[in-house]
Amino acid sequence: RNILKHMDFYLANGDYMRSKPAPDPYLTGMNRFNAAPDECIVIEDSARGLKAAIAAGIECIIIKNEFTKTHDFTGASTIVDSIKDIKKILC
């Protein structure tokens, strides 16, 4: 899909100390992008990701899916049924 050409950078395991639900991946990303939490938004599909976003101080949108339907999404700013719903929120 050649998606990397559309990115300024990417993070992979090993680029930060602790994985989600620790905030390290998001804190590292904000640092590399020189962004503050209020300039970011996280789109996640799991409780681990939501916990990481909250711990980093970033607003989080959850996309529901069959695998994570039993997860606790308390603290999410918005919960949507499909990735197609994201455009409505961000525009």
Side-chain angles (χ1 to χ4, degrees), residues 7-22:
M7 299 179 185
D8 292 332
F9 64 90
Y10 64 91
L11 296 176
N13 192 10
D15 291 333
Y16 40 84
M17 293 295 294
R18 301 172 296 165
S19 296
K20 299 173 192 174

Side-chain angles (χ1 to χ4, degrees), residues 7 13 16 18 22-23 25 36 50 56 60 72-73 90:
M7 299 179 185
N13 192 10
Y16 40 84
R18 301 172 296 165
L50 172 61
C60 185
D72 178 7
F73 293 127
L90 298 179

Side-chain angles (χ1 to χ4, degrees), residues 30 35-41 56-59:
M30 284 190 300
D38 64 345
E39 298 174 303
C40 302
I41 193 159
I58 307 171
E59 182 180 349

Side-chain angles (χ1 to χ4, degrees), residues 19-22 26 42-54 60-76 78-80:
S19 296
K20 299 173 192 174
Y26 291 122
V42 169
I43 299 171
E44 270 289 352
D45 67 348
S46 72
R48 287 173 47 106
L50 172 61
K51 288 178 184 178
I54 291 170
C60 185
I61 298 170
I62 292 292
I63 301 173
K64 293 190 281 185
N65 68 60
E66 194 63 28
F67 179 71
T68 62
K69 68 181 179 182
T70 61
H71 288 200
D72 178 7
F73 293 127
T74 302
T78 306
I79 300 174
V80 298

